[in-house]
Amino acid sequence: MRLNKILFFLSFIMGSTHIFCQNLSIDSLYNQLNKSNQDSSRYSILMKIGSYYQDNNPDTSIVIFHQAINVAKKIPAPEGELNQGEAIRNIGWSYAIKGEINQSKDFFNKSYKIAEKYILHKDPYIRKMANKNLAACIGSLGSLHFNLSDYPKSLEYHFRALKINEKIGNKNLIASNYNNIGLVYATLEDLDKALDYFLRSMKINEELNNTKSKVTNLGNIGLIYMYQEKFDSSLKYLFEALEISEEIGKKTSQSDNLTNIGIVYMKKKEYNNALKYCFKAFEISKELGSKQNQAIILVNIGRTYIYLKQYSKAEKYLKQAELINNELNSLFNLEGNYFCLYTIYEENKNFQNALSYYKKYNIIQDSIENDENTKAGVQQEMKYEFEKQAAVDSISNFKEIEIKEVEIAKQQAEIKAKNNQQYALLGGLALFVIFGGFMVNRYLVTKKQRNTIEEQRKEVIIQKTEAEHQRDEVSKQKEIIEIAHKEITDSINYAKRIQNAILPPLRLVKEKLPQSFILYQPKDVVAGDFYWMEQKNNTLLIAAADCTGHGVPGAMVSVVCVNGLNRSVREYNLTDPGKILDKTREIVVEEFEKSDEDVKDGMDISICSFDFKTNILKWAGANNPLWIIRKGNTEIEEIKANKQPIGKTENPILFTNHSIEFNKGDTLYIFTDGYQDQFGGEKGKKFKAAQLKELLLSIQHENMEKQHDIIANVFEKWKGNLEQVDDVCVIGVRG
């Protein structure tokens, strides 16, 4: 399963944001170039010719873009210099297509510095042109960081680019930003968010009739369906993308889609088809000189031969891929590459090489499997959404105004000095009549300068007025957001009071089970996890449950599930845990089936019953186990749960009811998965069940209240500064 997961994401190839031309033949472009005498027209045509060659012959495109730079040098600044920056950025993209990342980055940075000089220019046309180039450079750098597996940095650049493009209304680059953000989220396995951004991108590209970019969208949507194992839908989108890319002659897209079609056939176990399309992709990739793509395809060819058990062929292609991946230092590609080689050597019983590659694989995996990627992505998106409401434009306007005011003050000082000279000369007019004509001339110049300053002062006043208006608008928006936030917060706090009323009071739990503890720590104000207790005659029931999701959605599901548990005991008089779970599932499914939508929410649960007459413990579980530590023992006795939730599921079975001897001094634990799934520690990894077992065994000499404090403190120390990932509920009971 791990092999599939790694190599699926290798198949994502970043789309570009550079300019391109459609429906124009190369001959017609050269004819236009030969007829044109104007530098601005020649520059524009050369850029289109360079773009024509860029995907299929990046070396030729680099030569053409250098010619465009030479023509742009003849165009007066700042437009000519910005044109040079645009051509430099496109050279960077040509190197990116070739897989030469370092050279690509150098050209992007050069283009960035040129654009940055003019983003506050007084001419709106120049200012918009500079911001467009700046956003394209930032987006390009985001794509490079994606290929280097630096996903938080990639998201940061793409959201920065998106913000600029939304400000200047550049729909073409907004669509590209959406697509690239979707790619990062897809790699981080947030498929819903990825699909959302891909669809946003395709909607704009369809509006603009942007066929070339639509190909990228279709391919990426096909990949999402592939990961969801909707293979027929995946092939439909991928073949459509391939067909269009062949029509417009976009060879990079042809290579990408052929590769991905091969991977889908591999997942369908149609290995001959898989090899057929991967080899086609490899030939195009070699023609393009794209080392990054070649490495990806070689790994997938090797992987296919592994499934065919043709290990010598698999090793041949994987070794070729290893050389390229080490040269590119692509961590994500190396992870899959090493795992495949480890698989081959293990199957051939070459244990020395198998161990060597497994160690390499683990080192790479430790470097990239850090939840900080996801956290950084979410934080960046939240920052972007908030900044959309902030007065960025107003601040920029005020900066421009301050600069102009300084310039005006400087000019006023110069005029004042000149006025003093004028007065002195006028005072001696009788003696120096010969200089009269000169003084009249100086007076007229001074008057003209005064008029210029007055015009500038009016412009400053207008800009101040506009800035104040923008500030007022932002203030109104801020007030609306604050009111909405307060209403939402009040509603959530009220929901918390309702949920607290459903939970049994801890004092009541202590009365019934003196030697016990409950560690309950929701991730948000309200929770999807809950603990439950009910007494029926001489039988006491207690459970730890985990409903789908957390926060408000999880809390809403928990209300339905608590109702199901309560009805099972109070209305149907059930006390056996297994029968309670059967009836609760029936009630929950019945409730959700009242909706027109297909609701698959539910819960995992571990439930115990104590019979005070017989001292018999009964237990049943839906996905969550029961752990018992016998008095004096150094091992945990684990009773596994049925692998099915409380909710709608295929082929449901009756829950197993376990009767267990529970003696004085024995300790049991029931829990949800939030504690062991928490990321933290020095390497930012999950706590995991094995470490939780070690912790519980180490504190058996402590009373239950002390155990609660130790478990809570260990959790906080492990979590550190990282965000809590899920609700936490751990219950311990000692006999």
Side-chain angles (χ1 to χ4, degrees):
M1 187 65 183
R2 179 60 181 162
L3 186 65
N4 292 346
K5 180 177 173 184
I6 292 168
L7 291 175
F8 162 74
F9 284 109
L10 287 177
S11 63
F12 280 95
I13 307 295
M14 288 299 295
S16 68
T17 55
H18 53 268
I19 64 169
F20 66 96
C21 60
Q22 292 177 205
N23 304 322
L24 283 174
S25 71
I26 193 64
D27 292 336
S28 66
L29 287 171
Y30 275 113
N31 286 335
Q32 290 179 25
L33 183 65
N34 292 331
K35 293 177 182 177
S36 177
N37 295 319
Q38 292 185 341
D39 290 328
S40 58
S41 283
R42 289 178 60 79
Y43 165 79
S44 178
I45 296 165
L46 283 167
M47 290 298 291
K48 291 176 181 179
I49 293 171
S51 180
Y52 178 91
Y53 285 115
Q54 193 165 38
D55 288 328
N56 302 332
N57 196 338
D59 287 320
T60 300
S61 73
I62 290 170
V63 174
I64 301 297
F65 289 136
H66 274 296
Q67 293 176 11
I69 291 172
N70 291 332
V71 173
K73 288 178 180 177
K74 300 176 185 178
I75 302 171
E79 184 174 352
E81 190 174 3
L82 285 169
N83 286 339
Q84 292 176 53
E86 184 180 38
I88 289 168
R89 173 171 56 79
N90 277 275
I91 291 173
W93 260 119
S94 296
Y95 279 115
I97 290 169
K98 291 178 66 179
E100 297 181 22
I101 303 299
N102 290 331
Q103 283 185 283
S104 175
K105 189 174 182 180
D106 289 342
F107 279 96
F108 289 150
N109 284 329
K110 287 177 186 176
S111 179
Y112 180 97
K113 288 177 182 177
I114 293 172
E116 196 175 31
K117 288 170 59 176
Y118 297 105
I119 57 174
L120 293 178
H121 197 274
K122 62 182 180 181
D123 186 333
Y125 172 76
I126 297 299
R127 190 163 63 241
K128 184 173 182 178
M129 187 178 177
N131 276 283
K132 176 184 174 182
N133 284 359
L134 187 72
C137 288
I138 294 169
S140 301
L141 289 167
S143 297
L144 286 188
H145 281 283
F146 173 90
N147 283 329
L148 293 171
S149 305
D150 187 353
Y151 305 124
K153 198 71 177 175
S154 179
L155 276 176
E156 178 187 341
Y157 278 121
H158 285 314
F159 277 119
R160 281 175 59 192
L162 177 61
K163 185 168 63 178
I164 295 171
N165 287 323
E166 287 187 331
K167 179 181 175 183
I168 64 176
N170 191 325
K171 284 191 172 184
N172 189 46
L173 288 181
I174 289 171
S176 179
N177 295 144
Y178 282 155
N179 178 73
N180 293 340
I181 290 166
L183 284 167
V184 182
Y185 279 123
T187 307
L188 293 172
E189 301 182 51
D190 192 340
L191 300 185
D192 290 337
K193 197 167 286 185
L195 186 60
D196 176 51
Y197 279 103
F198 290 151
L199 291 171
R200 289 194 211 180
S201 178
M202 191 161 73
K203 182 180 179 182
I204 295 174
N205 285 324
E206 287 176 339
E207 288 175 7
L208 300 175
N209 197 25
N210 193 342
T211 306
K212 186 175 178 182
S213 295
K214 183 181 174 182
V215 169
T216 306
N217 301 141
L218 288 166
N220 288 331
I221 293 168
L223 288 170
I224 295 295
Y225 283 126
M226 178 174 73
Y227 190 66
Q228 293 173 339
E229 298 186 350
K230 299 175 181 177
F231 298 131
D232 291 337
S233 296
S234 176
L235 287 173
K236 174 188 172 184
Y237 279 93
L238 291 172
F239 273 116
E240 185 179 353
L242 177 62
E243 182 182 354
I244 297 173
S245 63
E246 288 174 341
E247 287 174 1
I248 64 176
K250 187 180 180 187
K251 288 197 173 182
T252 51
S253 289
Q254 291 173 40
S255 175
D256 298 343
N257 288 300
L258 285 165
T259 303
N260 296 332
I261 289 167
I263 295 172
V264 176
Y265 278 123
M266 188 195 312
K267 288 176 173 288
K268 292 184 73 176
K269 301 183 180 180
E270 296 180 24
Y271 299 124
N272 290 331
N273 276 334
L275 289 171
K276 170 186 171 183
Y277 285 99
C278 282
F279 277 120
K280 283 184 179 180
F282 186 68
E283 289 306 312
I284 296 174
S285 187
K286 280 174 64 179
E287 184 183 336
L288 293 172
S290 174
K291 292 183 178 180
Q292 179 92 357
N293 288 23
Q294 289 173 44
I296 290 168
I297 297 164
L298 286 167
V299 170
N300 283 298
I301 291 171
R303 177 185 169 198
T304 307
Y305 278 122
I306 289 175
Y307 287 130
L308 289 168
K309 301 190 183 301
Q310 297 180 24
Y311 298 124
S312 60
K313 288 185 178 180
E315 183 182 16
K316 170 188 171 183
Y317 291 105
L318 290 166
K319 281 290 189 180
Q320 290 179 41
E322 184 183 12
L323 289 173
I324 299 172
N325 283 325
N326 276 314
E327 180 185 342
L328 298 175
N329 193 31
S330 178
L331 295 181
F332 200 85
N333 290 4
L334 279 169
E335 184 191 24
N337 204 158
Y338 287 152
F339 191 85
C340 286
L341 284 165
Y342 152 72
T343 302
I344 291 171
Y345 292 126
E346 185 183 43
E347 290 293 332
N348 285 333
K349 302 192 184 306
N350 185 342
F351 298 120
Q352 184 175 353
N353 279 341
L355 179 61
S356 172
Y357 276 101
Y358 190 74
K359 286 180 178 178
K360 290 179 181 180
Y361 163 72
N362 271 329
I363 291 169
I364 297 292
Q365 191 183 44
D366 286 344
S367 300
I368 62 178
E369 284 194 344
N370 193 320
D371 195 58
E372 282 302 299
N373 282 339
T374 304
K375 181 181 176 185
V378 174
Q379 288 175 335
Q380 187 63 35
E381 184 172 21
M382 290 172 64
K383 179 181 176 184
Y384 159 70
E385 293 294 346
F386 174 78
E387 286 184 347
K388 284 180 73 175
Q389 304 296 329
V392 176
D393 292 342
S394 298
I395 293 170
S396 297
N397 285 339
F398 277 120
K399 284 185 177 179
E400 291 184 48
I401 292 166
E402 288 171 0
I403 291 168
K404 288 188 178 181
E405 286 182 330
V406 170
E407 291 175 350
I408 290 169
K410 184 178 177 181
Q411 290 179 2
Q412 285 178 327
E414 291 174 356
I415 296 300
K416 185 175 181 181
K418 289 173 184 175
N419 283 343
N420 288 338
Q421 294 173 7
Q422 179 182 334
Y423 296 148
L425 288 168
L426 289 172
L429 184 62
L431 297 172
F432 301 102
V433 174
I434 194 170
F435 297 107
F438 170 76
M439 292 307 302
V440 169
N441 176 267
R442 295 311 302 158
Y443 173 75
L444 292 173
V445 170
T446 302
K447 184 176 180 182
K448 183 178 180 180
Q449 289 177 325
R450 280 176 175 166
N451 290 337
T452 300
I453 291 172
E454 185 62 28
E455 288 298 318
Q456 289 180 330
R457 185 184 298 281
K458 288 178 181 178
E459 184 180 350
V460 168
I461 292 170
I462 291 169
Q463 289 185 349
K464 276 186 175 180
T465 303
E466 290 176 351
E468 287 169 359
H469 175 71
Q470 289 178 351
R471 187 173 56 194
D472 291 342
E473 285 297 312
V474 170
S475 179
K476 289 177 184 177
Q477 291 177 4
K478 182 172 178 288
E479 185 179 351
I480 291 168
I481 291 169
E482 286 175 348
I483 292 170
H485 180 266
K486 185 177 184 303
E487 290 176 351
I488 293 168
T489 303
D490 289 346
S491 297
I492 292 173
N493 286 330
Y494 186 71
K496 178 178 175 61
R497 289 198 296 273
I498 294 172
Q499 190 172 51
N500 286 343
I502 293 172
L503 297 174
L506 290 176
R507 59 171 179 75
L508 182 60
V509 176
K510 275 292 186 182
E511 286 177 13
K512 302 295 183 183
L513 296 168
Q515 285 295 309
S516 68
F517 73 78
I518 297 178
L519 174 63
Y520 183 62
Q521 190 165 318
K523 177 185 185 296
D524 303 304
V525 179
V526 289
D529 285 15
F530 65 90
Y531 58 92
W532 174 82
M533 189 178 74
E534 187 76 14
Q535 185 163 1
K536 190 76 170 176
N537 300 324
N538 291 315
T539 302
L540 181 71
L541 297 151
I542 190 165
D546 180 1
C547 294
T548 308
H550 50 73
V552 174
M556 294 175 71
V557 177
S558 75
V559 172
V560 177
C561 293
V562 168
N563 176 60
L565 289 167
N566 287 338
R567 286 185 61 194
S568 297
V569 177
R570 298 173 187 174
E571 185 177 332
Y572 294 96
N573 297 314
L574 300 175
T575 56
D576 281 343
K579 292 181 180 179
I580 290 172
L581 295 190
D582 292 332
K583 179 55 69 174
T584 301
R585 175 172 59 193
E586 181 185 322
I587 293 169
V588 169
V589 170
E590 183 182 328
E591 286 296 321
F592 286 141
E593 283 182 342
K594 293 176 182 177
S595 170
D596 291 333
E597 298 182 9
D598 184 18
V599 181
K600 294 182 179 179
D601 294 296
M603 71 172 169
D604 298 336
I605 187 170
S606 184
I607 178 171
C608 298
S609 74
F610 299 93
D611 189 321
F612 295 120
K613 280 188 175 181
T614 62
N615 290 328
I616 292 294
L617 167 69
K618 292 183 180 180
W619 174 84
N623 287 325
N624 290 348
L626 166 69
W627 289 354
I628 298 178
I629 301 177
R630 302 293 182 184
K631 183 178 181 181
N633 280 10
T634 57
E635 292 184 357
I636 287 182
E637 179 182 327
E638 180 173 353
I639 302 165
K640 296 186 181 297
N642 291 108
K643 291 300 180 182
Q644 58 181 2
I646 302 296
K648 191 174 182 179
T649 186
E650 292 183 6
N651 303 318
I653 61 172
L654 296 176
F655 285 95
T656 306
N657 202 58
H658 298 265
S659 292
I660 304 157
E661 187 178 344
F662 189 61
N663 300 315
K664 186 174 178 61
D666 294 344
T667 310
L668 67 80
Y669 298 93
I670 53 177
F671 45 84
T672 60
D673 58 6
Y675 196 102
Q676 53 200 336
D677 283 351
Q678 178 61 43
F679 288 94
E682 293 181 359
K683 295 184 178 180
K685 291 189 171 184
K686 285 186 179 182
F687 194 85
K688 294 188 176 178
Q691 194 172 179
L692 179 56
K693 286 181 179 179
E694 290 178 8
L695 172 61
L696 295 177
L697 285 168
S698 71
I699 60 175
Q700 285 308 294
H701 60 286
E702 304 287 358
N703 62 41
M704 301 310 283
E705 288 186 5
K706 183 68 173 177
Q707 285 193 24
H708 171 278
D709 295 342
I710 292 171
I711 294 170
N713 290 336
V714 168
F715 181 80
E716 289 301 321
K717 184 177 179 182
W718 177 264
K719 178 166 69 73
N721 294 325
L722 297 181
E723 182 183 358
Q724 184 174 328
V725 299
D726 200 358
D727 302 324
V728 171
C729 182
V730 180
I731 299 175
V733 179
R734 178 164 286 171

